[in-house]
Amino acid sequence: MMKYLYYPGCSLKGTGKAYEESLLAVFRALDVELREIEDWNCCGATAYMSVEESKSYALASRNLAIAERENLDVVAPCSACYLVLNKTQKSLQEHPDIRRHVTQALKAAGLDYKGTARVRHPLDVLINDVGLEEIARRIKSPLQGRKFAPYYGCQIVRPYASFDDQYNPETMDKIIKAAGAECVPYPLKTHCCGGSLTGTLPEIGLRLAYIIIKEAKKRGAEAIVTLCPLCQFNLDGYQGQIAGKYERVDLPVLYFTQVLGLAMGLPAGELGLQRGIISAAAVLAGR
Amino acid sequence: MPDKPKVAFYWCASCGGCEEAVVDLAEDILKVVEAVDIVMWPVAMDFKKSDVEARPDGSIAASFINGAVRTSEQEEMARLLRRKSQIVVSFGACANLGGIPALANQFQKEDILKYVYEDCPGVQNPDKTRPQTETRHEGRALSLPEFRGMVRSLDQVIEVEYYLPGCPPTPKIIMAAVVALLTGKLPPKGTVLSPDVALCEECPRKDSKPADLALAEFKRPHQVLIDPEKCLLAQSLVCMGPATRAGCEALCPKGNMPCTGCFGPTSRVKDQGAKFVSSVFSNIVPKDEAGIDAVLDGIPDPIGTFYRYGLSKCLLRRKLN
Amino acid sequence: MSQHQSQKAQSAPAGFEPRIVAFFCNWCTYTAADLAGVSRLKYAPNVRVIRVMCSGRVDPQFVLDAFARGADGVLLGGCHPGDCHYAEGNYKTLRRMRMLGRMLRDMGVADGRFRLEWISGAEGDKVKAVVNDMTAKVRALGPLDLPGKFREWDQETAELERQVHSQDPKEVARAR
Amino acid sequence: MTDIKERRNDTDGLPRIGFYICHCGTNIAGMIDVAEVREYVAALPGVAVSRDYKYMCSDPGQELIGADIKEHKLERLVVAACSPNLHEETFRKAAARAGLNPFYFQMVNIREHVSWVHEDKISATEKAKDLARAAVYRVRFHKPLDKQSVPVDPNVLVVGGGIAGIHAALTLANAGKKVTLVEREATIGGHMAMFDKTFPTLDCAACILTPKMSAVKSHPNITLWTYSEVAKVDGYVGNYKVTVKRKPRYVKEDLCVGCMECIEACVFKEPKFADWFNQGLGKRKPVYIDFPQATPKVVLIDPETCIQFKTGKCKKSCAEVCDRKAFDFNQKEEFKDIRVGAIILATGFKVYDAKRDPHYGYGRYPGVYTALEIERLVNASGPTSGEVVLRDGRRPRAVGIIHCVGSRDEKTNKWCSRVCCMYSLKLAHLIKEHSGAEVYNFYIDVRAPGKAYEEFYDKLLSEGVHFIRGRVAEVTDWNMTPEEEGRLVLRVEDTLAGFVRRIPVDMVVLATGLEPRADAQEVRRLFNIGCGNEGFFQERHPKLAPVNTFTDGIFIAGACQAPKDIPDTVAQAGAAAAEALALIDAGHVELEPNTAHVVEEECCGCKSCVPLCPYSAITFDEAKKKAVINEVLCKGCGVCVAACPSGSIRQNLFEDAEIFSEIEGVLAK
């Protein structure tokens, strides 16, 4: 049985609860063990990184140092966590002064960072460790005729693109296709969802989110499928305001793990499908 | 009848094998004894240091001195014989190159003494007593030679005219040297009395050496079932033959063991170990550092391997610290 | 760390300037050193370059001999892997010098004293960087001074040499 | 000057050395105390004369040396001056003129390696002394040597049949030299044959190229081998032995007259397979010819698509219709050996693969083309007979040309490909002319440094072609306005206007850059030359030896050396031909004497050296059981010398004794 350490980060315990539920359900059903890292803390995320870089590294590396005690890869489903943890590893490897600083900080907590743990995205694990063949074998009720827009967001491919193409990522497309559904040709895969601008500069943020949703809908997608809890929240949560400013769009925004779970025949309730602000009922209809 | 030439034999830091080699001359030894007067040979005859001291300087035709030089006593005897002899022949690998004793040059004197008198398993020495050069006992003074900081080849202590290589030199080259001395047909001073070409020349396995060795690993003799016909290097064994002077007629390869280099380098080479490394390692298979290192790992003790007999003559002379 | 450094600094006498012997291949590293000159790059004056056609001409004996004759460091410069003017000479260098590196370590020659660098004919700035870096590191290691060590080691035999040579044979004979 | 010693016993029986230190104006004397070095060296053993002079390389400087050699019976010469790469030869000749063997000389580099790179006079002077002493110690061991002179084979091999190779071959052939021109494809012509017009004059590429192609074919001094590749190169300057692989065309070249009736007769009624020459925009049959003016005009069969090769069951109507009986389905590849004195490499470039920039959508959006595809589209003999139409037959209303695709880009290729700006202008003009479309150029900056190039740019501006300065972020098909509907949109920051724009177009042209050929590394190893960091062949000197390589007798021309346009390529090809001629017409070459040799009586026959030689100069004499070095093949690297475990190989000028004494000298204090 494949085993990984699981670093949820804050999103998967909060706004991204559906992501956690569906991820854990799918991995369980695939006989892949995800064990939550004990006593994990905030990854530092982008906000902290832009305020105080060195503390941010120390924060992130604490998680890695704890994870290193076990000789397992770390799965970080949230794009922000995934990016920050990877960036931390890279910086610690390349910059001895940062490493020194972090080592000192960790020492105070009785920890030591060696740089041995690999930080992986669940997509990477599904495609490269589990394999599409195995996934296909587990599909019980393929989502025949369903059309989705695969939306990756920025942090999974920028600045590093460790397991997929930077401009035209395709790993999630493959999962969606394995689930029996269709991917609409979608050139906005890695465009900005509006990010935190929806909060700070709503005019720009909303417009960006609107473009993403409108184009998906125009291309015949019944839902946007994403892998990032921040994108999901942005695209799902602001459709009311978008309706006020532009037009009604009403497009569900799902996690790829929910789509895969459905195709694997897992019950919708276990996949958190009831949690979306825009109802996924249309997608579930006829199942 | 004129006096027969006087000859001395002496041993310094050595195993006694060189003495055996002289005895190994078998019947020929009688011819030698007939032709010369032996005036010193601690292993076989009862002469004293004072007997040698009493001889006029330069009165001994030739002294054959084997063994490396580790102690003040060996130094003193070497110098004494030098003074009394017209010709000094450095006899055997230890005298020529430092030999096996010189492997101790990888350690500091203090470390050696500490190990031997304190740390070595089986040693019971709670007072940490060490031998002293001067001891007074019941009013009498006893002295022991000084243990020097390093092992030296004979020519690092005294001037030497000729070298007889080998561990030990073979009867054939000893006899040839004796004949040359007796007949006065002597090569230039400083010559090693053995062919100035590498061992492969006389090795029966020579033809089986492939042009391109391209070694991807090294093995030690106990790790392989050695093919008795095939070039030993081609069997991934470290055979020092190509970097070692000929003259032994490939005794070890004939005995199914790789050459370990006891005859020392040819006259063109200053440092046998370095030269061997330059040769064999230029052509190992990997090109990347990790791959190269993996091959090198097959030789866990490079100094002991490439300087088995020659550490005193390594250009660095000893481990520095 | 700082303690370690101060120990090193203590072992190096004040004003110590290391002498480093370099073997540069004609086609890449020697040319790069020429280029550094033409570009008027300034670097430490501690390196003395010996020109060889290929780094593959450098016999490990040369490295040992340079140390034995008083070099505090030895630097080898060759073409980058794959760019050797003689196709593969630098790979041969790399292989034998990696073994030599292990032997030097075993013989107590500190790591930074022997260095192999790939410097192409276009990398005058790398000559500067490498020379400066190596000079600083060897300076911190202090003098190697093997000729001095050889003299020091041989002092222990000097006294005895005088004694044996001063023995008058006549006196010796009388004593008997 | 100081301290002239008149007799050999003044120099302790050592060879009498003359030492000269050059001021090089103030280049050396400004940083090194030359008088101090002179005095210091004068006192070294063996030194009979020690002088300094303002410019040693000047005629009076050389004459000074010559006079001293004669007057003071000097036996060795040491000059401390600039790099030996500059003036070693000068002083060797000065020595030779005075009757001293030129190799009794050693040069000390105190300019490039000392005065120019150091700032402290005292330590610079000390370093100069150390280096001078090393040379003095070393030169004692020098031996008199002769340069070996070998005859040069007058024939030349030209590799690559693009415009560079064609021009070089014709130049040499016109000078009366026998040339073999080897081309990998089935026809010569290279990339230039694919172009429609050439910038800035807009003359038709075919009109100026095809006469040269047929001149190659008909020239009595040129042997043209197309569909062939160099497989092996042995030998050395003036005497190369080259093995050429000739791939089977399945048509006998000497019998085919190029009537092309076989193509007509092929069982495939319609052309079905993507053709290479038209960048896959056109189709061909399994039996085909690349283009009407292909040279030689000989058809060939592609076994990958031919039914006979795939099933063995074709009625072979092609062969039936051929009254010359030129078809031979059993043709095999052949290897031919030729001997040449010089080789010109003109292997050209590879067009950047636009798929490496996925944000430009090449391969994803049918409306995105590479520039080379457009060359074929605007060409009258191309797949659309010169009509600028999209893949679906529509005529584009607007066309965007993106500059610097795969050039000047940190992520792909950092270099400027030099031709893309100009060909983009040319294509803009041609597209506008052929289709009347609005044309937008998206550029970083327009580089037009050539004769009449800037004027051409001006002309385009006046023609109403749009220029938007900015790097295009993406080519996409999501749209925001009805105007954009169903079209491609280029998103770009217009850095002159200062805002982000969306420009809808119907056709996008990617101005792809020039790259080294995919097999440039293998080719350079084959010919033992170097590549720069970016992978183009390395010239010996960027300014003074731009067509020479570090391997004597091998020259480079055209875009294999770096991206360049046709005029520069032709100029370089002519230069390479002239260099080859200079080599050949000299009749012989002198080889550097720094070769290695095995001392037979010292060699034990261990063969350690044999595999180390990259030039197979070392062989094993099975009768004598000794290694032997062919000194003509030896290039003098010294790898075997360092590796001979019994020290039985010597290298002239780099003997162990010479290097050990140099080490001793540099460290003796």
Side-chain angles (χ1 to χ4, degrees), chain B residues 51 83 275 282 287 293, chain C residues 59 88 95 98 167 176:
Chain B
D51 298 329
R83 208 167 128 86
K275 199 63 173 159
S282 296
K287 286 180 168 181
D293 284 349
Chain C
D59 187 323
E88 300 222 317
R95 294 175 186 137
R98 266 196 108 63
Q167 278 180 343
R176 290 204 57 151

Side-chain angles (χ1 to χ4, degrees), chain D residues 435-493:
Chain D
S435 68
E438 288 296 323
V439 181
Y440 299 87
N441 276 279
F442 300 89
Y443 69 100
I444 300 177
D445 39 34
V446 171
R447 296 188 166 178
K451 196 171 176 180
Y453 286 14
E454 184 69 14
E455 294 89 323
F456 187 66
Y457 179 27
D458 282 342
K459 174 177 142 84
L460 266 285
L461 286 168
S462 66
E463 281 177 5
V465 171
H466 307 284
F467 287 85
I468 294 172
R469 200 186 78 175
R471 188 132 209 171
V472 173
E474 68 171 345
V475 175
T476 185
D477 66 346
W478 65 275
N479 41 62
M480 296 183 73
T481 61
E483 163 68 4
E484 291 177 1
E485 199 68 48
R487 305 178 76 185
L488 291 170
V489 177
L490 289 95
R491 295 176 66 231
V492 61
E493 183 186 357

Side-chain angles (χ1 to χ4, degrees), chain D residues 564-632:
Chain D
K564 57 178 63 69
D565 59 17
I566 295 167
D568 285 2
T569 295
V570 171
Q572 208 182 23
E579 291 282 352
L581 273 178
L583 168 69
I584 290 166
D585 281 352
H588 67 278
V589 279
E590 287 197 323
L591 304 179
E592 271 296 297
N594 60 4
T595 51
H597 57 277
V598 177
V599 179
E600 193 183 305
E601 61 274 21
E602 294 174 358
C603 173
C604 74
C606 73
K607 304 181 210 152
S608 301
C609 53
V610 176
L612 298 178
C613 182
Y615 308 106
S616 310
I618 312 180
T619 49
F620 191 69
D621 182 335
E622 287 293 346
K624 289 184 179 166
K625 306 279 182 204
K626 307 275 181 188
V628 186
I629 296 178
N630 179 340
E631 290 191 41
V632 171

Side-chain angles (χ1 to χ4, degrees), chain A residues 53 69 89 122 128 149 169 194 202:
Chain A
E53 210 177 48
R69 294 179 188 156
Q89 279 200 318
N128 296 312

